[in-house]
């Protein structure tokens, strides 16, 4: 299992009252598996994704990623783990505004200490249809274009596991389809595990499994037709 | 290595888009360092020139001086010196210039021997230098020659003797430049002094013995061994190294203020650095969170921004040092009139390197504090712009850097002022000010949150709420603007005090004519001459010279053996000039004991009154016994009162005041002080007096007062020039804090506009916020400076504390206005451009 979540609970304290956002969540994902998390707005999807990627601490319960218990790692060790094995696509893109599209994409490669980062990054940008926009700054790109840069960036490190928060949320059907294609190709070629948060049931149905969240709890965890057809 | 290169590359890539923001950070450094380098270079050049010319200033290896001719003990000691010797008798006197039919106050020096041994007495014609030592004749200062259009061959009457003028000379040895403008120097050969009959009982004469010793010889050590012996005959030894110190000392007040200004500029620079980096880091937090999310270590993210800051810091420091080296070239121009020597301004590499080193150290330390926060930026911020950082634990590195800042400031101040306590109190003061401002910011936020005026109008409420909302800038701006205002206002207060102090010596109701060396039988005639011209007798008193023999029941010789004695040397050895009267002068005030204490019968004890400074230096109190030697007769007296004398007043001051009925019969001379309406009157009055009594010296203070005025103007000019430097730095600091703060509010303003707020409303919201911030910061800053000014005035300069409110009001208004203007200016873009363009451009 590349990801194991065990009895995870997350609550936020704001002032005197405590707000439990996720309670008692248990699930796991195998290598090469594709999995989608769906649920109404505010049900805790983004929070869960962040916890799985080690961006935050659990209130109770454990998360283990690539065989490492995240709770036992310090911030730097988690950073190292992320740079080696984890990709993340944010709901709101999160590009670094002072770097060009190309530079944004090279960052994970550089962090891994790779050489020839330019070439790889350029290739990825071409694959998301932005081969001619490499020297533009994020503020010069549309929302969808920014999202594609952020996808290229998530791919560039060739992660073992990719977390995608609404990866097609801002895209038109055609580009959305391209991005979907990219995601699944990566899964096929490199065996990357995909954890996708989405509102798009069509996309969700293309993954092996769907986890439904509601009010911070897992309601259902079902296999899809896609998994059986494979 | 690869990784390092990547971090450097990222620093460059990220930085190139931020040059604008970082430029302000740089300008704070540039100005701070420039001021520091300029002032240090100047001091450095000054010290070096003093060193180089010290021997020439003294003209000999060693000088022994006293107000009487050397006694037998001294002569024996001096004879044992393996050295060449010159003797000089010096006194202030009137010289009559027949050609101009005028009298002039001069410093007459009768020289025997080959002095000066170092440096040269440059005369015109050159042979005059030799001639005046042999023949009867004078050489006079060039200025005097020009003033009266004199030529070689004209004559000069000194006392009762007429001398032909043999030539003129350029530089006067062993005299400060300022005094020579009051009384130009005139040299005659030593053997001709008697013919002038100027040396009378009561005239103020200096006897100097100059020595050129055969090397190797340790003049300082010789002084150490012989000084006590010579002091018993009231002779004092001066060596080259002491002269160096003396000259340096003469500049210490000026130096101190210049240092203070340099310090202020540097401090302002530091505040600018810290606040601009603090705000810069804040705007960078989202990017840093992404880096972290992508797997960058906290330390690495920190390094990226450290590289940026260090690189720009280095550039800023270098530019600053260059600018400082340029500005220092201006300083000697401004100061040339004070200096007893011409300063050769050279690039002072030590000062420049010191400035660069100090600049880098201080910049890195001050930038480090906000930068360290980067290590703690959580990747979680990518998911949610979290409110405040939660980390409450004390960070060791952060604590160490803070300690480093405090320590380096302390060491810097210590080196600058040479006093540990000054450094300590200064740093303490700064820390307290910082804490007070921080506390006020917290208090305001707490108070507003708790008692928010909900029913006020929308715009005002928004502006007010901006003070405590998440991402507010209340603390940053309050601390930086407040500290900046405090430091600047303190400088103005101190400047005002110093100026007031010197202005008090200005003309006005002050006397301007002093008559010295009047014999008792001449006084009545002089009074009638004076009153006959309608001039007031402002002071007229007898002076009796005596010597301190012992005090508190022990003899002087006994005390001198005592190493635990508290009495200061200058007080013990000085020749006491006392007067007697039973009333207080206008500038005197009794602060201890009783006054008057007249002596009614010859059997009564003699009660005297001491000046506070003298009593303090002698470590004596009311009731203590003091024994004086009056022409060989011991005179036992008791201290009965202590007077405070206002020094700002140009009147004769007496450290020891006797009651009437004691000294009337003693040998004495008189001083008369008056005021003439104009300089013509003084000139003719002087002529009349000198004709009647050649022994009487008339000191025309109007020339002195005028020169003092000129010097004062120069000083205030310098003070203003230097203050200007600080103002510019202050404005830059304000600008850097405020301009950067625009990124804080821009998103909110744009969103408000998108929702439908009018431009007017946005402007007013911003104006309200900045007006409140500026007003509050300036107010607290001014209050801090009032206290700081009081402490500095009281303990550093020992001046009475008065405050000129106008400059403070101006600083206050200026700070508030600038804050407000920049606040409104910041919202200009938001207001004038379509919201979409702004949103696109300004994120991050
Ligand atoms: N720092 C926080 N403090 C308090 N509550 C928080 C905090 N972070 C998240 N929440 C709450 O947790 C809940 C889950 O948020 P989350 O962003 O995970 O929802 P989501 O499922 O991703 O919603 P959406 O589909 O709208 O993106 C929300 O109700 C949110 O208000
Ligand atoms: Mg979400």
């Amino acid at each position: 299992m590349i990801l194991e979540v065990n009895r995870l609970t997350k609550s936020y304290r704001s002032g005197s009252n405590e707000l439990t956002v996720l309670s008692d969540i248990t699930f796991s994902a195998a290598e090469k598996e594709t999995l989608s998390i769906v649920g109404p707005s505010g049900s805790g999807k983004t929070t869960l994704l962040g916890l799985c990627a080690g961006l935050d601490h659990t209130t109770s319960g454990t998360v283990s990623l690539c065989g490492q218990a995240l709770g036992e790692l310090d911030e730097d060790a988690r950073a190292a783990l992320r740079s080696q094995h984890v990709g993340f696509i944010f709901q709101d893109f999160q590009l670094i505004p002072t770097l060009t599209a190309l530079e944004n994409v090279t960052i994970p490669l550089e962090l891994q200490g790779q050489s020839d980062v330019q070439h790889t990054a350029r290739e990825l940008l071409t694959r998301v249809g932005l081969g001619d926009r490499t020297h533009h700054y994020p503020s010069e790109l549309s929302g969808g274009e920014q999202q594609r840069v952020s996808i290229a960036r998530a791919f560039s490190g060739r992660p073992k596991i990719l977390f995608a928060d609404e990866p097609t949320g801002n895209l038109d059907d055609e580009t959305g389809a391209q991005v979907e294609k990219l995601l699944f190709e990566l899964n096929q070629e490199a065996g990357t595990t995909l954890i996708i948060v989405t509102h798009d049931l069509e996309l969700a149905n293309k993954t092996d499994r769907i986890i439904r969240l509601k009010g911070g709890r897992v309601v259902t965890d079902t296999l899809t037709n896609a998994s059986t057809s494979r | 290595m690869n990784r390092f290169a990547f971090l450097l590359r990222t620093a460059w890539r990220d930085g190139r888009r931020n040059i604008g923001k970082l430029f302000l950070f740089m300008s704070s450094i540039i100005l701070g360092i420039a001021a520091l380098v300029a002032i240090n270079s100047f001091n450095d050049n000054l010290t070096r020139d003093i060193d180089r010319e010290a021997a020439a200033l003294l003209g000999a290896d060693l000088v022994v001086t006293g107000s009487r001719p050397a006694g037998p003990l001294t002569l024996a000691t001096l004879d044992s010196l393996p050295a060449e010797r010159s003797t000089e008798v010096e006194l202030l006197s009137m010289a009559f210039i027949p050609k101009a039919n005028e009298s002039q106050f001069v410093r007459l020096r009768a020289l025997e021997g080959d002095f000066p041994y170092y440096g040269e007495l440059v005369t015109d014609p050159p042979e005059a230098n030799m001639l005046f030592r042999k023949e009867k004749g004078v050489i006079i200062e060039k200025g005097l020659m020009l003033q009266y259009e004199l030529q070689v061959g004209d004559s000069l009457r000194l006392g009762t003797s007429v001398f032909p003028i043999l030539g003129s000379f350029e530089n006067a040895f062993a005299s400060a430049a300022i005094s020579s403008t009051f009384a130009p120097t005139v040299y005659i050969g030593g053997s001709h002094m008697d013919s002038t009959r100027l040396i009378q009982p009561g005239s103020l004469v200096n006897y100097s013995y100059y020595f050129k010793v055969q090397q190797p010889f340790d003049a300082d050590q010789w002084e150490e061994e012989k000084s006590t012996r010579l002091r018993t005959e009231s002779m004092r030894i001066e060596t080259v190294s002491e002269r160096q110190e003396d000259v340096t000392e003469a500049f210490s007040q000026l130096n101190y203020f210049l240092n203070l200004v340099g310090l202020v500029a540097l401090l302002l620079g530091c505040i600018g650095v810290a606040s601009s980096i603090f705000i810069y880091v804040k705007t960078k937090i989202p990017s840093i969170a992404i880096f972290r999310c992508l797997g960058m270590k906290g330390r690495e993210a920190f390094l990226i921004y450290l590289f940026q800051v260090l690189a720009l810091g280095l550039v800023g420091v270098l530019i600053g040092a260059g600018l400082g080296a340029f500005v220092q070239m201006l300083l000697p121009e401004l100061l040339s009139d004070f200096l007893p020597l011409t300063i050769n301004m050279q690039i002072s590499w030590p000062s420049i390197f010191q400035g660069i080193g100090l600049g880098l150290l201080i910049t890195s330390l001050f930038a480090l504090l906000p930068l360290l926060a980067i290590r703690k930026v959580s990747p979680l911020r990518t998911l949610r712009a979290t409110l405040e950082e939660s980390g409450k634990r004390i960070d060791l590195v952060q604590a160490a850097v803070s300690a480093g800042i405090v320590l380096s400031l302390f060491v810097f101040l210590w080196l600058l002022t040479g006093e540990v306590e000054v450094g300590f109190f200064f740093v303490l003061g700064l820390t307290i000010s910082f804490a007070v401002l921080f506390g006020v910011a917290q208090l305001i936020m707490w108070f507003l949150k708790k008692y928010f005026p909900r029913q006020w109008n929308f715009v005002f409420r928004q502006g007010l709420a901006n003070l405590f909302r998440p991402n507010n800038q209340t603390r940053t701006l309050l601390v930086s603007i407040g500290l900046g205002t405090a430091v600047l206002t303190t400088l103005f207060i101190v400047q005002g005090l110093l100026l007031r102090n010197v202005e008090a010596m200005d003309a006005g109701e002050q006397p301007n004519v002093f008559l010295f060396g009047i014999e008792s039988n001449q006084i009545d005639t002089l009074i009638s001459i004076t009153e006959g011209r309608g001039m007031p007798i402002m002071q007229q008193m007898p002076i009796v010279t005596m010597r301190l023999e012992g005090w508190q029941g022990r003899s002087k010789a006994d005390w001198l053996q005592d190493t635990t004695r508290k009495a200061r040397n200058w007080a013990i050895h000085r020749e006491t000039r006392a007067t007697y009267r039973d009333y207080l002068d206008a500038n005197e005030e009794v602060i201890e004991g009783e006054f008057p204490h007249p002596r009614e019968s010859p059997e009564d004890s003699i009660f005297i009154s001491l000046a506070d400074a003298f009593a303090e230096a002698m470590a004596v109190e009311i009731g203590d016994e003091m024994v004086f030697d009056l022409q060989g007769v011991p005179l036992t007296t008791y201290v009965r009162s202590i007077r405070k004398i206002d020094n700002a007043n140009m009147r004769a001051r007496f450290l020891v005041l006797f009651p009437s009925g004691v000294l009337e019969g003693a040998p004495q001379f008189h001083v008369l002080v008056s005021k003439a309406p104009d300089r013509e009157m003084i000139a003719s009055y002087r002529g009349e007096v000198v004709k009647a009594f050649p022994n009487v010296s008339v000191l025309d203070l109007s020339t002195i007062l005028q020169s003092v005025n000129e010097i004062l103007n120069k000083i205030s000019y310098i003070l203003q020039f230097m203050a200007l430097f600080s103002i510019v730095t202050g404005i830059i600091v304000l600008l850097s804090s405020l301009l950067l703060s625009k990124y804080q509010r821009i998103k909110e303003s744009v969103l408000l506009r998108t929702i439908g707020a009018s431009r007017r409303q946005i402007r007013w919201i911003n104006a309200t916020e900045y007006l409140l911030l500026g007003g509050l910061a300036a107010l607290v800053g001014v209050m801090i400076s009032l206290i700081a000014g009081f402490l500095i005035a009281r303990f550093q300069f020992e001046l009475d504390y008065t405050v000129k409110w106008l400059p403070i009001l101006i600083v206050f208004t200026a700070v508030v206005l600038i804050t407000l203007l920049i606040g409104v200016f910041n919202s200009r873009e938001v207001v004038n451009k379509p919201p979409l363009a702004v949103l696109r451009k300004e994120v991050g």
Side-chain angles (χ1 to χ4, degrees):
Chain A
M1 289 291 145
I2 190 159
L3 173 70
E4 287 184 73
V5 177
N6 196 13
R7 315 211 55 173
L8 182 151
T9 298
K10 177 72 187 172
S11 42
Y12 288 109
R13 173 182 296 277
S14 113
S16 53
N17 42 346
E18 195 165 281
L19 178 74
T20 302
V21 180
L22 296 169
S23 53
D24 201 19
I25 293 193
T26 303
F27 74 93
S28 57
E31 262 171 69
K32 296 183 189 167
E33 196 178 14
T34 58
L35 185 155
S36 49
I37 301 174
V38 299
S41 174
S43 55
K45 305 183 292 290
T46 301
T47 309
L48 179 59
L49 215 57
L51 284 165
C52 291
L55 301 182
D56 201 359
H57 300 269
T58 60
T59 307
S60 71
T62 58
V63 177
S64 112
L65 186 64
C66 303
Q68 308 236 44
L70 291 181
E72 290 162 13
L73 302 180
D74 65 7
E75 196 56 63
D76 279 346
R78 277 190 269 164
L81 183 68
R82 275 199 299 274
S83 99
Q84 288 308 314
H85 306 302
V86 182
F88 208 107
I89 300 170
F90 298 93
Q91 198 167 2
D92 47 1
F93 332 133
Q94 300 285 8
L95 298 180
I96 293 167
T98 49
L99 302 184
T100 61
L102 186 73
E103 286 163 357
N104 262 290
V105 178
T106 57
I107 295 277
L109 296 166
E110 305 230 42
L111 282 170
Q112 288 179 353
Q114 292 195 18
S115 52
D116 200 19
V117 294
Q118 301 270 331
H119 181 74
T120 320
R122 209 177 288 273
E123 211 167 38
L124 272 165
L125 278 173
T126 316
R127 270 182 85 176
V128 294
L130 292 172
D132 51 345
R133 308 295 298 272
T134 50
H135 290 297
H136 287 234
Y137 286 95
S139 58
E140 296 159 352
L141 300 171
S142 78
E145 285 163 346
Q146 289 183 46
Q147 180 144 29
R148 279 185 275 160
V149 175
S150 101
I151 290 167
R153 183 179 68 185
F155 283 1
S156 67
R158 307 210 119 238
K160 276 202 187 131
I161 181 165
L162 180 71
F163 297 96
D165 197 350
E166 306 266 10
T168 56
N170 294 287
L171 304 181
D172 60 291
D173 288 351
E174 201 177 314
T175 340
Q178 267 177 15
V179 167
E180 276 173 29
K181 200 170 138 238
L182 262 167
L183 282 172
F184 288 106
E185 269 173 18
L186 187 74
N187 170 251
Q188 302 283 296
E189 289 166 15
T192 302
T193 309
L194 292 181
I195 314 282
I196 303 171
V197 166
T198 184
H199 285 295
D200 180 359
L201 279 181
E202 222 173 293
L203 171 59
N205 274 317
K206 287 178 188 157
T207 59
D208 300 335
R209 249 168 83 196
I210 301 179
I211 293 179
R212 274 174 204 282
L213 283 187
K214 196 169 180 185
R217 289 174 189 276
V218 177
V219 209
T220 58
D221 182 347
T222 50
L223 292 178
T224 60
N225 296 336
S227 70
T228 45
S229 72
R230 215 174 290 168
Chain B
M1 207 55 237
N2 220 342
R3 187 82 159 186
F4 189 74
F6 157 65
L7 292 178
L8 273 179
R9 204 155 51 233
T10 312
W12 158 246
R13 284 173 181 164
D14 182 75
R16 76 199 155 185
R17 294 277 280 182
N18 290 311
I19 288 294
K21 291 181 196 173
L22 287 167
F23 179 74
L24 289 162
F25 150 71
M26 266 171 56
S27 44
S28 305
I29 302 175
I30 291 175
L31 282 172
I33 298 301
L36 195 72
V37 168
I39 288 161
N40 276 351
S41 299
F42 177 72
N43 282 346
D44 194 40
N45 275 311
L46 185 64
T47 329
R48 201 184 34 222
D49 279 19
I50 287 172
D51 281 356
R52 193 169 49 220
E53 293 193 23
L57 276 173
L58 194 63
D61 293 314
L62 191 66
V63 188
V64 177
T65 47
S67 51
R68 301 176 176 192
L73 200 59
T74 311
L75 277 178
T77 315
L78 298 184
D79 286 340
S80 71
L81 253 179
E84 274 183 65
R85 182 202 305 183
S86 298
T87 310
E88 186 191 87
V89 180
E90 181 204 60
L91 52 80
L92 292 172
S93 162
M94 297 308 296
F96 180 72
I97 302 162
K99 187 179 180 185
N101 194 26
E102 280 211 52
S103 296
Q104 162 75 40
F105 202 62
V106 295
R107 178 184 299 271
L108 172 61
R109 312 173 87 178
L111 190 62
E112 209 173 275
D114 294 332
F115 177 83
Y117 297 113
Y118 302 104
E120 210 183 330
L121 191 59
V122 184
T123 57
D124 174 25
E127 62 270 20
N129 188 12
M130 294 314 300
L131 276 178
F132 88 93
R133 295 171 208 252
K134 295 184 206 130
E135 297 172 12
K136 178 166 180 175
V138 288
I139 56 172
I140 65 180
E141 240 177 68
K142 189 99 176 194
L144 189 61
M145 201 88 163
L146 295 175
Q147 189 184 343
Y148 294 100
E149 297 172 353
L150 298 173
Q151 280 158 3
V152 173
D154 287 340
S155 61
L156 194 71
R157 197 180 84 206
L158 294 163
T160 55
S161 185
V162 176
F163 291 79
I165 296 174
L166 300 173
S168 64
F169 64 93
E170 299 276 0
N171 51 341
F173 280 87
S175 83
I178 290 174
S179 61
S180 86
T181 61
F182 305 149
T185 299
V186 166
Y187 277 108
I188 60 172
S191 53
H192 302 289
M193 192 63 179
D194 289 343
S195 70
T196 64
R197 303 229 188 104
L198 283 172
I199 301 181
Q200 305 272 337
S203 27
L204 312 178
V205 186
N206 252 314
Y207 296 85
S208 305
Y209 302 89
Y210 295 96
F211 294 92
K212 182 191 181 192
V213 277
Q214 279 148 23
Q215 303 298 342
F217 179 81
D218 188 341
D220 291 306
Q221 198 193 330
W222 186 82
E223 181 195 3
E224 188 115 316
E225 289 163 14
K226 311 290 183 197
S227 65
T228 348
R229 174 126 61 110
L230 292 196
R231 260 184 205 150
T232 57
E233 289 189 343
S234 284
M235 299 300 281
R236 180 176 121 61
I237 306 173
E238 196 183 8
T239 61
V240 172
S241 54
E242 279 171 338
R243 170 53 64 103
Q244 254 159 288
E245 277 165 34
D246 273 6
V247 178
T248 319
E249 185 72 10
F251 293 104
S252 68
Q253 197 82 327
L254 179 65
N255 218 311
Y256 190 87
F257 186 78
L258 285 181
N259 280 336
L260 193 68
V261 174
L263 173 73
V264 164
L266 190 74
L267 276 182
L268 287 173
C270 290
I271 298 170
V273 166
S275 66
S276 53
I277 295 298
F278 188 81
I279 297 171
Y280 178 64
V281 166
K282 255 187 162 176
T283 67
K284 280 294 166 187
I285 283 178
S287 294
I288 296 164
I290 302 172
F291 278 126
R292 302 281 280 130
C293 230
L294 294 175
M296 189 178 279
K297 291 188 180 129
R299 195 160 33 85
E300 294 173 326
F302 162 74
L303 280 178
I304 288 182
Y305 293 96
L306 183 68
F307 290 153
Q308 281 183 2
V309 166
L310 284 187
L312 285 177
L314 183 67
V315 174
V317 165
L318 290 179
I319 298 178
L323 186 65
F326 172 72
V327 168
Q328 62 132 358
M329 300 289 183
L330 300 176
L331 280 177
E333 287 295 308
L334 293 171
L335 294 170
S336 56
D337 286 15
F338 305 111
L339 308 177
L341 58 162
T342 37
I343 302 255
N344 302 314
M345 279 327 261
Q346 295 173 2
I347 299 290
S348 158
W349 291 109
S351 307
I352 292 181
F353 284 124
Q354 191 195 345
I356 292 176
L358 193 74
L360 280 181
L361 176 75
I362 293 227
T363 307
S364 346
L365 280 175
F366 271 85
L368 215 51
L369 207 54
L371 280 175
L372 281 173
I374 291 178
R375 298 167 312 148
K376 295 292 166 71
V377 172
S378 156
L380 188 62
R381 279 186 181 262
T382 45
L383 299 185
R384 223 168 302 277
T386 338
L387 314 175
E388 312 295 313
E389 285 297 295
S390 54
K392 280 229 167 58
R393 270 181 302 139
I394 297 169
D395 183 59
L396 274 182
V397 186
Q398 224 152 352
V401 171
S402 311
I405 288 179
V406 171
L407 195 72
S408 56
L409 274 182
F410 166 68
V411 171
F412 173 66
L413 282 162
W414 178 12
L415 293 180
L416 197 71
T417 58
E419 285 168 68
V420 187
E421 302 97 61
V422 174
F424 175 75
F425 283 117
F426 230 106
V427 170
L428 188 72
L430 279 172
T431 319
I432 292 177
S433 312
F434 183 87
V436 165
L437 283 162
F438 197 83
V440 168
Q442 295 287 64
L443 198 72
I444 289 290
M445 292 187 342
W446 172 84
F447 184 84
L448 282 180
K449 235 183 249 181
K450 187 137 185 183
Y451 303 102
F452 192 71
R454 270 159 233 295
Q455 58 282 21
W456 292 12
N457 88 352
F458 168 73
V459 164
F460 189 74
R461 260 184 299 133
Q462 289 295 319
L464 206 58
N466 276 349
L467 292 182
F468 61 82
R469 280 190 184 142
N471 275 332
N472 66 68
Q473 47 198 350
T474 307
R475 266 177 300 231
T476 329
L477 290 189
L478 209 65
V479 169
S480 59
I481 299 177
L483 267 188
T485 313
V487 168
L488 203 60
T489 318
T490 307
L491 185 73
F492 278 123
I493 292 178
V494 172
Q495 182 196 17
L497 283 172
L498 290 180
L499 283 182
R500 200 191 68 96
N501 187 44
V502 273
E503 270 163 18
M505 298 181 210
D506 200 347
E509 283 316 295
Q510 306 273 14
N512 57 10
V513 191
F514 273 64
L515 270 54
F516 286 121
I518 307 166
E519 282 162 31
S520 292
N521 58 5
Q522 298 171 331
I523 185 73
D524 290 338
T525 321
L526 282 173
I527 290 181
S528 62
I529 289 180
T530 311
E531 285 179 335
R533 287 172 174 265
M535 286 162 54
I537 307 290
M538 298 176 79
Q539 264 186 315
Q540 182 260 305
M541 62 260 150
I543 294 179
V544 180
T545 54
M546 52 185 80
R547 239 162 241 282
L548 190 60
E549 259 307 303
W551 65 100
Q552 291 172 340
R554 293 166 66 182
S555 75
K556 175 173 161 184
D558 189 17
W559 274 112
L560 288 175
Q561 304 298 322
D562 184 351
T563 48
T564 63
R565 121 184 86 87
K566 290 210 196 75
R568 310 268 293 273
N569 279 334
W570 68 263
I572 300 174
H573 293 296
R574 67 179 287 130
E575 187 179 50
T576 308
R577 289 192 194 110
T579 190
Y580 52 91
R581 54 180 148 86
D582 294 320
Y583 55 90
L584 286 179
D585 211 10
N587 59 340
E588 293 176 324
E589 184 193 340
V590 172
I591 53 172
E592 234 182 289
E594 281 167 34
F595 189 91
H597 23 68
R599 192 193 196 202
E600 258 117 37
S601 74
E603 292 83 50
D604 283 358
S605 303
I606 305 169
F607 294 115
I608 58 169
S609 171
L610 301 186
D612 55 352
F614 185 59
E616 199 177 304
M618 285 300 301
V620 292
E621 284 164 15
I622 302 282
D624 280 351
E625 179 200 83
M626 292 186 98
V627 182
F628 294 95
D629 169 4
L630 176 65
Q631 308 278 310
V633 184
L635 208 58
T636 305
T637 65
Y638 300 92
V639 180
R640 189 61 177 274
S641 68
I642 291 176
R643 287 161 304 138
K644 183 178 159 67
I645 306 176
D646 182 4
N647 284 325
N649 211 311
M650 272 236 184
R651 296 173 81 97
R653 295 181 272 272
F654 291 95
L655 300 188
V656 180
L657 179 57
F658 273 73
S660 56
V662 184
L663 298 177
E664 277 78 354
Q668 54 195 274
F669 66 96
H670 293 255
V671 171
L672 194 151
V673 179
S674 181
K675 179 175 166 63
D678 50 50
R679 296 181 72 174
E680 284 77 44
M681 174 73 99
I682 296 179
S684 69
Y685 174 69
R686 185 166 60 182
E688 192 179 344
V689 169
V690 176
K691 228 165 256 163
F693 304 114
N695 65 305
V696 173
S697 299
V698 182
L699 181 54
D700 175 4
L701 276 186
S702 67
T703 26
I704 297 185
L705 286 177
Q706 202 188 9
S707 311
V708 168
N709 262 340
E710 276 162 20
I711 294 172
L712 291 187
N713 285 338
K714 272 268 152 56
I715 291 185
S716 36
Y717 186 42
I718 293 166
L719 294 190
Q720 265 142 30
F721 175 78
M722 296 318 292
L724 192 76
F725 221 87
S726 309
I727 291 177
V728 175
T729 319
I731 290 179
I732 291 285
V733 169
L734 252 185
L735 281 177
S736 62
S737 309
L738 289 172
L739 283 181
L740 284 176
S741 75
K742 108 175 172 184
Y743 302 100
Q744 206 98 280
R745 286 280 166 252
I746 213 146
K747 225 166 181 169
E748 285 153 46
S749 303
V750 174
L751 292 177
L752 272 176
R753 263 201 80 193
T754 328
I755 298 169
S758 71
R759 298 156 161 217
R760 233 179 93 89
Q761 281 172 318
I762 304 266
R763 260 197 217 113
W764 276 108
I765 291 174
N766 273 298
T768 312
E769 182 186 358
Y770 283 94
L771 186 69
L772 285 171
L773 274 176
L776 206 63
L779 189 70
V780 181
V782 165
M783 291 200 294
I784 290 175
S785 71
L786 287 175
I787 298 171
F790 171 75
L791 294 175
I792 293 179
R794 204 51 219 286
F795 298 107
Q796 187 62 46
F797 288 111
E798 295 178 357
L799 295 173
D800 288 337
Y801 187 54
T802 48
V803 175
K804 274 191 185 157
W805 290 100
L806 190 67
I808 296 183
L809 203 68
I810 292 175
V811 174
F812 178 84
T813 322
V815 168
V816 177
L817 269 185
I818 293 177
T819 314
L820 183 63
L821 277 178
I822 299 177
V824 175
F825 176 81
N826 276 349
S827 59
R828 169 200 51 134
E829 196 172 10
V830 181
V831 168
N832 292 335
K833 283 191 183 160
L836 195 65
V838 181
L839 266 184
R840 284 210 155 208
K841 192 161 154 254
E842 297 294 347
V843 269

